[in-house]
Amino acid sequence: MSYIHTVNLRDVPLYFAYKRTSKEPDHYQGTFHAHQGVEILIVHEGKGTLIIEQKSYSLAPGMLCIFQPYQLHHVQVELSAETPFIRSIVHFEPSLYESYFDKWPMLQAFYKRIHTGVLPEPCMYHTGDAELLHSLLRSWEQTLPQLAKGDYFEEFSLFLVGFLRTFKQLWEQQPAPPHSGNTSRKPHQAELMLEWLDKHYKEPLRLEHMASELHLSPYHLSHLFKACTGSSISDYVTAKKMQQAIMLLTASEQSIARIGEEVGITNSSYFCKMFKAQMGITPHQYRKQFHRKLYPLPR
């Protein structure tokens, strides 16, 4: 299933995983998904394809990626005992930590850029010497279990400042993409299909119409999309609708019925039913919970 992740970044305002390892297909089931907050992915080992919005990137050791808030993405990995997927993750809600960057204008500008700016590319391959970053991650892994809950915000903010300072240096050292295009990114067979779906996801899904416009048979279209992304076309469309609905719920005051119409679901009851099936709660409950999560815990 493809879905939007519900991330509780209020009770645990910074999610961290160091060298999480998957070796068997059962250990990792990637789906198209999006989530609250900024996620930074550091790939230690792995082989496969990463799709962010409508673009694809080859998964490779040393790769660093930024997933911006509610940005639809999918990781398809080729797993075996010889080629495990080993990655570290830092995931946080930017609004909770903005005040901690006030005294460092250049770092604050980078902080704002990674969650509100338009990035030339979301992934970086040529990271150079990243040992300082890995040393910081190893140290934080040892420190994290010892923290008292009342110290979370102070300690998390100190870690985040140090982490983003190091990450910024690596990010800004990457070579500028050549004028002919970024050679680190290879074309993906699914990109034309994803681009088509992003233009038409509000409309009723008609496989024959899509196949005709892309000059494929419906059978070939479905199987090619599944092979390239690991997801069905209908699951992707659902994920896209939910992604847009979440963005409207959290960034606007439009009514639930109007938001349903905006994502192509004119029946308000059906929209609420679909949303709850994906998210576990109603659109109204999600909106209320989101606004509560913007306030930090008492210290």
Side-chain angles (χ1 to χ4, degrees):
M1 176 183 286
S2 302
Y3 57 103
I4 307 294
H5 279 312
T6 303
V7 182
N8 192 341
L9 293 177
R10 181 178 182 273
D11 290 343
V12 182
L14 188 145
Y15 174 81
F16 174 79
Y18 179 63
K19 286 196 170 182
R20 176 178 290 174
T21 301
S22 303
K23 295 183 178 180
E24 304 292 338
D26 291 346
H27 296 168
Y28 185 84
Q29 298 294 332
T31 61
F32 276 103
H33 65 279
H35 41 63
Q36 177 192 352
V38 170
E39 177 185 346
I40 296 176
L41 171 71
I42 301 104
V43 178
H44 303 283
E45 294 183 43
K47 183 180 180 182
T49 301
L50 172 63
I51 298 175
I52 304 178
E53 297 295 351
Q54 298 87 46
K55 292 185 178 180
S56 61
Y57 302 82
S58 295
L59 200 69
M63 182 183 197
L64 304 181
C65 295
I66 297 174
F67 303 126
Q68 294 178 306
Y70 300 112
Q71 189 173 53
L72 209 56
H73 58 279
H74 170 63
V75 183
Q76 186 178 21
V77 292
E78 302 171 23
L79 287 175
S80 69
E82 294 74 28
T83 57
F85 181 33
I86 304 177
R87 68 279 188 196
S88 296
I89 299 167
V90 177
H91 185 184
F92 57 94
E93 168 51 50
S95 63
L96 296 178
Y97 296 98
E98 286 187 6
S99 63
Y100 291 97
F101 289 85
D102 287 344
K103 295 183 179 179
W104 297 283
M106 289 189 294
L107 187 59
Q108 186 181 57
F110 178 73
Y111 181 75
K112 290 183 177 179
R113 183 186 175 201
I114 65 173
H115 72 89
T116 63
V118 177
L119 303 176
E121 292 288 349
C123 299
M124 175 174 66
Y125 288 84
H126 308 291
T127 56
D129 184 7
E131 179 51 37
L132 182 59
L133 182 70
H134 296 307
S135 176
L136 193 152
L137 294 174
R138 287 193 296 268
S139 176
W140 182 246
E141 183 192 31
Q142 296 170 1
T143 301
L144 192 55
Q146 305 171 24
L147 296 181
K149 195 169 185 179
D151 297 333
Y152 274 3
F153 269 94
E154 182 173 345
E155 295 295 335
F156 286 7
S157 63
L158 289 171
F159 164 75
L160 202 56
V161 167
F163 171 78
L164 287 177
R165 183 170 182 264
T166 304
F167 188 85
K168 175 178 179 289
Q169 292 171 351
L170 291 172
W171 191 265
E172 293 180 346
Q173 288 170 7
Q174 65 180 314
H179 294 300
S180 58
N182 187 346
T183 55
S184 295
R185 200 181 76 76
K186 66 177 183 180
H188 195 285
Q189 289 178 304
E191 289 187 7
L192 286 177
M193 293 181 274
L194 290 168
E195 288 175 6
W196 192 95
L197 288 168
D198 274 41
K199 292 177 182 176
H200 299 276
Y201 75 92
K202 297 180 182 181
E203 305 166 8
L205 179 60
R206 293 181 294 162
L207 202 58
E208 294 78 9
H209 176 54
M210 180 181 175
S212 174
E213 291 207 350
L214 295 177
H215 308 292
L216 296 166
S217 71
Y219 176 85
H220 189 205
L221 176 69
S222 297
H223 282 73
L224 183 60
F225 191 90
K226 181 74 172 180
C228 289
T229 69
S231 169
S232 70
I233 293 174
S234 60
D235 273 353
Y236 177 80
V237 170
T238 299
K240 184 67 181 177
K241 288 179 183 290
M242 292 300 101
Q243 175 204 25
Q244 295 300 310
I246 291 289
M247 293 175 68
L248 291 170
L249 283 166
T250 57
S252 79
E253 296 182 358
Q254 293 185 46
S255 68
I256 303 301
R258 179 59 183 163
I259 290 172
E261 292 174 2
E262 287 282 342
V263 301
I265 306 173
T266 55
N267 185 311
S268 179
S269 297
Y270 181 68
F271 169 63
C272 291
K273 183 179 179 180
M274 176 188 284
F275 190 95
K276 187 172 183 180
Q278 292 286 318
M279 303 300 302
I281 55 177
T282 67
H284 178 70
Q285 290 169 332
Y286 189 94
R287 175 176 267 169
K288 288 180 66 176
Q289 286 192 11
F290 174 82
H291 289 300
R292 284 205 303 268
K293 288 175 186 176
L294 294 181
Y295 297 95
L297 289 169
R299 299 190 179 189

